[in-house]
Amino acid sequence: RTAAGALPAAGAAVCFGAMFALYAAAEDLGPVSVVAAGRLSALTILSALVVRRKARLPRRKALARLLGIGVLDAAAFVSYAYAAARGPVSVAAVIAGQFSTLSAVVGIVLLRERLRPHQYVGIALAGIGTALLALAQ
């Protein structure tokens, strides 16, 4: 039961990993241009899917929350693209990859999720590993 989303999450990890590496390869375009191109591509594809499925737009209250999520998403990817262009992608990717650790912590604190002991150990090890990586630079 706890691994129900593991396969799609692994697919997301592969896609994110490839995308993060490609951000570093596109450093000559600038972080805002790279992220804007990605977002416009996604918007084009998703708009076509919405029109094809004749989906309804969310209500106004939900749209405000979705806009906030979009702003945070764009800011995160611009920050990452900038970091990957400035320094080694290996460092930027590991540090930016801590979003998953932070997501787990937010789930624990705000959503009252209960993790298994080994998951808490994993969060602690991820934090320690990231701190060691930062100290090594």
Side-chain angles (χ1 to χ4, degrees), residues 98 101 104 108 115-129:
Q98 294 311 301
T101 304
I108 293 165
L115 303 183
R116 300 230 168 123
H118 67 277
Q119 292 171 311
Y120 287 109
V121 170
I123 289 171
L125 289 174
I128 291 167

Side-chain angles (χ1 to χ4, degrees), residues 20-92:
F20 286 160
L22 291 173
Y23 271 170
E27 67 181 286
D28 55 328
L29 299 175
V32 174
S33 298
V34 171
V35 173
R39 293 298 173 265
L40 289 173
S41 300
L43 184 62
T44 302
I45 293 168
L46 292 174
S47 295
L49 288 172
V50 166
V51 168
R52 183 167 185 201
R53 292 183 174 200
K54 298 177 185 165
R56 295 181 302 150
L57 289 177
R59 295 181 187 208
R60 185 173 284 236
K61 187 176 180 181
L63 280 176
R65 284 187 266 170
L66 291 172
L67 181 61
I69 290 169
V71 168
L72 288 173
D73 179 68
F77 280 108
V78 167
S79 297
Y80 176 80
Y82 180 73
R86 278 198 78 186
V89 72
S90 58
V91 174

